[in-house]
Amino acid sequence: IFYVSVFDKPLCIFKIVRVNMYNDIIDRAVAGLSAFPNVSPKLFFHGQLGGLNYMCEEVASGVPVGKSQEVDYLVKVLEWHKNLTRVRQVKIDEIIKLFSNVSFDDDKEFEIVLTELLKRKEESLWLSLGHGDMTYKNIMTRSDKQITIIDWENFGLRPIYGIDIIHYLSRMVYTG
């Protein structure tokens, strides 16, 4: 990550991966910034240089939300979440098939979960887009009282509509 400025005027944040096996991190961040332009920094440009993905985004302005404020910002996170789109429904059986070649012989907990899922294999779940790391650390408050959400490297399709809210709430009670 590089902070680019001219004298004291911020121009952008430039991000580039160090090795091409991490190109998907930039791809996810680009997708997240593009999907939620009203609450994220602007994406200026992105591409590939020598096989390494890069992107350049606006320097987010605002004040970082602190741990003591995360309850206060829950309402803003819920408002943001209302704008998430349920992408499509998928049968639970389709999800189970993704694990067909994976061995979980020593994992009794997964075996129990899989047994319960098999009982519901004809039911469907909604998939939706999600931030992937929704915590107070990734929220800034702007002067217009709206929020800016940063760090979209974990953005993607999520198997549970509302998983970002669950993650935010679970991090509120985490004390470690």
Side-chain angles (χ1 to χ4, degrees), residues 31 67 107 118:
K67 175 77 175 153
D107 191 340
L118 284 168

Side-chain angles (χ1 to χ4, degrees), residues 121-176:
K121 67 182 185 178
E122 294 303 315
E123 295 178 25
S124 297
L125 295 172
W126 274 103
L127 300 178
S128 70
L129 298 175
H131 181 273
D133 188 23
M134 183 56 67
T135 68
Y136 75 92
K137 295 176 184 177
N138 290 326
I139 300 173
M140 298 180 75
T141 180
R142 302 187 308 234
S143 60
D144 64 359
K145 305 291 185 214
Q146 297 302 310
I147 60 172
T148 296
I149 299 173
I150 60 172
D151 292 339
W152 289 88
E153 289 81 11
N154 294 308
F155 174 78
L157 195 59
R158 302 286 175 235
I160 301 172
Y161 181 71
I163 195 71
D164 281 329
I165 299 301
I166 294 167
H167 185 74
Y168 190 86
L169 291 171
S170 70
R171 299 300 292 178
M172 286 173 63
V173 296
Y174 176 70
T175 57

